Amino acid sequence: MDVRVGDVLELKKQHPCGSREWLVLRVGMDFKLRCAGCGHELMLPRSKVEKNIKKIKRNEGPET
């Protein structure tokens, strides 16, 4: 799965604050994610995150 730093992931389960969206801060064997609702940061194994992704929102910059 192609997940990059800066992507916003919509996960299947929501965070206790009510948000389902997470900003990707770090990619590797573990992902570092920040909740879009409350700003809580956590690190999760790649396998667990990829299993729970519902949608990937990517902000593509203008082509130059």
Side-chain angles (χ1 to χ4, degrees), residues 4-36:
R4 303 178 199 156
V5 173
D7 288 352
V8 176
L9 305 178
E10 184 178 329
L11 301 182
K12 292 178 184 175
K13 291 186 177 182
Q14 68 182 18
H15 191 246
C17 74
S19 176
R20 289 180 187 262
E21 295 188 345
W22 295 82
L23 176 65
V24 178
L25 302 176
R26 179 179 177 270
V27 176
M29 284 299 293
D30 296 320
F31 284 173
K32 185 169 186 180
L33 304 173
R34 178 184 294 144
C35 179

Side-chain angles (χ1 to χ4, degrees), residues 60-64:
E60 298 284 340
E63 298 289 326
T64 55

Side-chain angles (χ1 to χ4, degrees), residues 50-62:
E50 287 182 347
K51 183 175 70 173
N52 290 309
I53 292 176
K54 191 172 185 181
K55 189 185 332 180
I56 299 174
K57 298 176 185 175
R58 185 165 287 145
N59 289 334
E60 298 284 340

